[in-house]
Each structure stands twice: as C-alpha cells, then as structure tokens.
Amino acid sequence: MPAYVISDVTVRDEEALQTYRSRAAASIARYGGRYLVRGGQVQTLEGDWHPGPLIVVEFPDIERARRWYASAEYAAALEVRDAALSRHLILVEGMAP
C-alpha cells in the first residue's frame, strides 16, 4: 500500500529553502518517493485550518517512507531545515488500489 508524507510549511528563508528542497528531493527520489503536491494555491473549504504551502509525497509503502525519513541522505536536508522553514509533518498509510 502506498504511504504519504504530508507537510504544511511556513517558509523562513528562501535561499535556505532552495538548498533544503534540492537535498530533500534527491533523497525522496532515492527511496522511491514522488511529489504529488509541491506548493500551489490552498483554499480552505471547511474548518479553521489555514495551512501554508502543502507538500504531499507518495512512497511505495510506509516502511520505505520511514526509511527515507531516518536516512543519512535526508539528514543532509535536515541540516538546513530550521533555517529554511517550520512545518507540521505527518505520515499516513494509503489504501490499496
């Protein structure tokens, strides 16, 4: 079953964000992930949630997503994360097609 990493982002520094994005993207690809959403317009339809830019990454399964998050490759992106952005990040298991 696929798994999804969903991030609600607040950008702190555009230059650091570009470094984070390139490092994160390379690590995501290495673990079989692919971006489904990477920013774009967000419209609140119900409730009090007003997220910033959203990022949705699909992985082939939840274990691969967990390995990516704990990987040395992603750790390189995390070195600049706090300068680049703040966020809420969740991992959710998807449904079988």
Side-chain angles (χ1 to χ4, degrees):
M1 276 188 280
Y4 302 91
V5 173
I6 303 169
S7 183
D8 172 6
V9 174
T10 300
V11 176
R12 290 182 174 161
D13 180 273
E14 284 292 334
E15 188 175 323
L17 179 64
Q18 295 312 313
T19 301
Y20 171 82
R21 285 179 80 175
S22 65
R23 292 178 185 182
S27 69
I28 287 166
R30 182 174 176 140
Y31 285 82
R34 68 185 185 109
Y35 287 95
L36 299 179
V37 174
R38 197 173 189 187
Q41 183 180 1
V42 175
Q43 178 182 358
T44 299
L45 298 176
E46 294 184 17
D48 294 331
W49 184 30
H50 300 284
L54 292 173
I55 294 88
V56 179
V57 177
E58 180 182 57
F59 285 91
D61 56 65
I62 203 160
E63 288 309 315
R64 191 141 357 156
R66 288 178 177 140
R67 286 196 307 271
W68 160 76
Y69 187 73
S71 72
E73 295 87 359
Y74 185 57
L78 292 176
E79 291 174 359
V80 296
R81 178 201 54 208
D82 291 343
L85 55 91
S86 63
R87 67 179 174 188
H88 294 99
L89 185 73
I90 61 169
L91 171 60
V92 61
E93 192 168 38
M95 296 173 43

